[in-house]
Amino acid sequence: MSTAMISAREAEVLALLGEHLSNAEIAARLFISVRTVESHVSSLLRKLHLPDRRALSRQAAGLSRAQRTGAAALPSPLTTFVGRARERAELADAVTTHRQVTAAGPGGVGKTRLALTVAADVADRFPDGVWFADLVPVTDPRRVGAAVAEAVGAGDEPGRDIDDAVLAALADRRALLVLDNCEHVRDGAAPFLERLLTACPRLHVLTTSRARLMVPFERVFTVPPLSREGGDESDAVALFMDRAAAVGWPPGPAVSEGVVAICERLDGMALAIELAAARWSTLGLDGLTAGLSDQLRTLTGGARADGRHRSVRAVLDWSHDLLAPQDKALLRRVSVFVAPFTAEAAAEVAALAPLDASTVIDGLGRLAEQSLLAVTPSGTGTRYDARVTIRQYGAQRLTDAGEQTVVRSRHVQWCLATSAALVEDDGPDWRARFDAVADDVRAALAWAADRPGRPEDACRLARYLARLAFTRNLLGEAQQRYEQAARLAGEAATAAAALRDAAAVAGCRRAGDDMYRLHRAAAEAARRAGDDVRAGCDLAAAATVAYRFSTAFSRIPPAGQVRILLTRARELAGDAPGARAAVALAEAAVVTDAFGALQTDEDNPVRETVEHAERAVLLARRAGDAVAESAALDALSGARGWTGDAYAFAAAARRRTEVLAPLPPTPAVSHEWADALAMAAATALGIGDLPQARRWGGQLAGHPLLAEAGHHATSWMLVADAFAGRADDVLARGVRFRDSWEHGGRPRSLSLGAAAASVAMVHGLRGDPASRTAWLTIADRADMAVQHRQGYGAVFDATVLLHHGDAEAALERVAPEPEEVWKWVCWIWLHWYVALRAETAVLAGHPDARTRIHAARTVVTGNPVATAQVDRAEALLDGDLQGQLAAAKAFDAAGCPYQSARTLLLAGGEHTAAGTTALAALGLGSGPAG
């Protein structure tokens, strides 16, 4: 209808006709004659193409009602609208910019509430009104026009189709029409809207639907779940809090994390959150959390005007009933996937009668159109995903159809094939491909593990998942899955192999108690399998672990128990080369304490210790077992450390890296490799090779096993940089060390104590006693033995004291002869300790200074840093300025700029300024000259 063709007086007459007034009443109201009213009525009938006065009155009533009510014609919600500021603004812009917009999304996501809110927001942009029509009651797609006619007040007229009446009523209106719930009548809504929008060029239409209308003029606005970003400040949590407060029991701040978790589990679906909040007062946090394992049962409410919103199940029943039989079958079958899946994966799992691969792929598109599946592009291809509630609904339908066993069995087979391919292929996108299927593999394993007839599949799947989790650096899960595989194994030998792998992963995790337990369990499984030799090896490994990794235990096994294991290992192992090597290593660990275990207080029999370790190396090499050889070399490195031969000590540690480098990264190899890197870095420090120590330390810091363990990863880098005087690097890396150490539960080991003490030393050099004290406290908590402070503690403390000119206190700190504390200084601290004893004696004026210098030279020869320190001490004693300057150059060449700068300060005179500048460049204060 063109309002321009109607005069102002005719418009007044038309409005009163809508009130069903007679001509005489209209004449009296407008102060005109009855004859004039009759003339206007005749003109209106002609202009509006209406047959009689009755039709004119109906048309006038509808149009005048719309003009009067405008946005008020929208339904009035009974609850507040919460959140969605971004979606609200974007949809408002879309509605005013485009002629037809479909707000699409799954049931319960909040499409209707958003559409009503946006329609109210933009009502002032549509001067001729906003109308709302709910299409839920419409069962015949051909009756969409009738529902719209009722909403806008366009009635039936003789000789005219109801759709035409709507077109005529809205022909020139700048108005907004909201059509809610179009999904079940799309076949009628689409052609009706095409006619309507063509005939009404100023009309805009906002539809809500679980599926797109699939017409070219449609602009789709996907309504997402409520945002969970921001935790307890998110839209999802705000909605929960608002609705929970409405039932009289608003959640307090103490449960905010639990509410965040509930909203996350509900995928941010508005209806589900409202239903959960409604039950808050009766179930509480714990009840709701437990109940959400069955959302379809828990998320129900009271009677509603719209029965579809009474429960989540009702929402899904509505969507399910709209599907064709083949799509219903597909929906229930793909419910076994717990992560986004590809069309190919769906075909492998769901393609059984009445579906084949082509109907599966086609059906996925239809389910996505119905908002029952989300479509997500990814680097590994297009993926489909169903929300948790839809998966739970589909799983129940799968059980009702009697298809659970066959479909889940196909899912297990798909997971086995996918896992096997991942094990064999380590391409550049491996991580993304594993992450994409990991949850499905876990779910398939959980199902298969509970089925009596599927232990072989479950065991294979557990082994695959363990290997994949290890490669993905999920060490805790890798150990768990290896242990699960052992429980599921049908053969004892298979169980024993899985337990050995689990023990190796526990080693990577530095979980000594688990290593010990798992090696013993592997021995028991090997005995059941009739393999006494392997059982002997496993017992020997358990005995070795108890001593070699004593700092990794929360409770160290009793020495008597370990000796019994060693005796039993000797009895079972026999003369097999590998078994003899395992027993020999255990003897080096337990009998002669090659590793300096915490539980051993007596002095090591040095010669015997070396002999045992050398024998273990020889036997491991003969057996061709590189991992065993590395472990034996670790024993030999320790044994040679007791001799005071730091160079032989370091050489054995370096040899470990050469032996292990060619091997693939199995759990056992990875555990050994990380330990070898740490020992290579430590022993390089012990001989003053700071650049090499830093390189080994850098490799350790970059090791994938330690990605989540920054305290272990950075420990030796910290010590190397602290000795070099790189204060800024130490302090920056120290933050990562401390945070990771605290996050990891504040574990304890010698290397962690040394690393923390090195940070304390740098703070001491910088003149920050408060920070130094704090880090010394960390060092005490991070180490397991106070005796270690006699080694690295003495070295770091004396260095700080000398830096600040307190030679007397430094002399006292290193007063014990090396032989008195040899077990702790003879490891990697011996050269540093004896060099400091020489220097402190000179600076403190000790009468034995010359003797100490000579004694130190016999020990540190070949160590560039310690040699330069002894040379400097002698030059200071002799007043040899050129000797001091030569020492400064030697420190620079050795990669130790701190000691070079300090040498210039000690030289004094014209060199003081250069020394001060050099220390400042390192981030250190100058301190007194000494």
Side-chain angles (χ1 to χ4, degrees), residues 461-817:
L461 204 52
R463 289 296 298 268
Y464 280 141
L465 184 53
R467 290 182 62 182
L468 296 171
F470 180 80
T471 303
R472 183 64 175 81
N473 201 33
L474 303 174
L475 302 186
E477 181 176 11
Q479 180 182 328
Q480 173 196 348
R481 300 304 180 184
Y482 277 125
E483 293 193 54
Q484 184 180 18
R487 292 192 299 271
L488 294 168
E491 298 182 355
T494 302
L499 289 165
R500 291 182 196 108
D501 284 332
V505 178
C508 296
R509 299 177 60 224
R510 303 182 65 84
D513 305 78
D514 283 352
M515 294 174 68
Y516 184 70
R517 170 181 61 83
L518 291 165
H519 279 304
R520 295 181 67 185
E524 293 176 9
R527 287 299 306 280
R528 293 198 303 272
D531 191 345
D532 286 353
V533 173
R534 292 304 301 267
C537 291
D538 291 325
L539 289 175
T544 300
V545 162
Y547 278 71
R548 184 184 180 195
F549 300 110
S550 62
T551 62
F553 280 78
S554 60
R555 184 176 182 181
I556 298 174
Q561 182 186 90
V562 176
R563 288 182 179 273
I564 292 173
L565 292 184
L566 178 55
T567 299
R568 187 60 176 148
R570 292 187 184 115
E571 295 170 355
L572 294 172
D575 292 329
R580 292 176 63 201
V583 171
L585 179 59
E587 290 173 340
V590 178
V591 177
T592 60
D593 190 29
F595 299 106
L598 292 177
Q599 60 265 48
T600 304
D601 294 328
E602 65 271 12
D603 289 346
N604 297 46
V606 176
R607 183 178 60 81
E608 183 181 348
T609 302
V610 173
E611 289 175 355
H612 273 81
E614 287 177 337
R615 180 170 177 270
V617 171
L618 179 62
L619 290 173
R621 195 170 293 155
R622 287 177 179 174
D625 187 337
V627 173
E629 183 179 352
S630 172
L633 284 166
D634 192 27
L636 181 59
S637 179
R640 286 177 172 166
W642 304 136
T643 69
D645 188 347
Y647 301 104
F649 182 14
R654 272 197 314 275
R655 174 62 183 154
R656 293 178 65 193
T657 64
E658 297 166 1
V659 168
L660 294 170
L663 302 182
T666 65
V669 170
S670 296
H671 174 218
E672 198 66 35
W673 178 246
D675 185 74
L677 287 175
M679 292 303 99
T683 55
L685 281 170
I687 59 174
D689 191 347
L690 296 185
Q692 185 61 56
R694 200 169 193 277
R695 282 191 287 272
W696 289 126
Q699 287 192 45
L700 183 67
H703 197 290
L705 281 181
L706 303 178
E708 304 299 326
H711 45 302
H712 289 297
T714 61
S715 57
W716 292 114
M717 281 280 284
L718 282 171
V719 179
D721 283 345
F723 274 130
R726 297 186 179 91
D728 292 339
D729 290 342
V730 170
L731 298 185
R733 194 170 286 115
V735 173
R736 178 190 173 192
F737 173 93
R738 182 190 58 212
D739 292 347
S740 177
W741 175 70
E742 291 178 346
H743 181 73
R746 299 183 175 184
R748 304 172 74 183
S749 75
L750 185 152
S751 62
L752 298 179
S758 71
V759 181
M761 181 183 78
V762 169
H763 280 296
L765 298 178
R766 287 167 55 89
D768 185 350
S771 296
R772 171 170 163 75
T773 298
W775 275 94
L776 287 176
T777 300
I778 293 174
D780 289 339
R781 293 175 179 173
D783 206 336
M784 296 188 70
V786 296
Q787 302 96 312
H788 294 164
R789 297 281 292 148
Q790 296 173 326
Y792 67 76
V795 169
F796 293 148
D797 289 348
T799 300
V800 172
L801 291 167
L802 288 177
H803 181 83
H804 292 290
D806 194 347
E808 292 290 344
L811 180 67
E812 182 63 25
R813 190 66 179 89
V814 292
E817 295 287 342

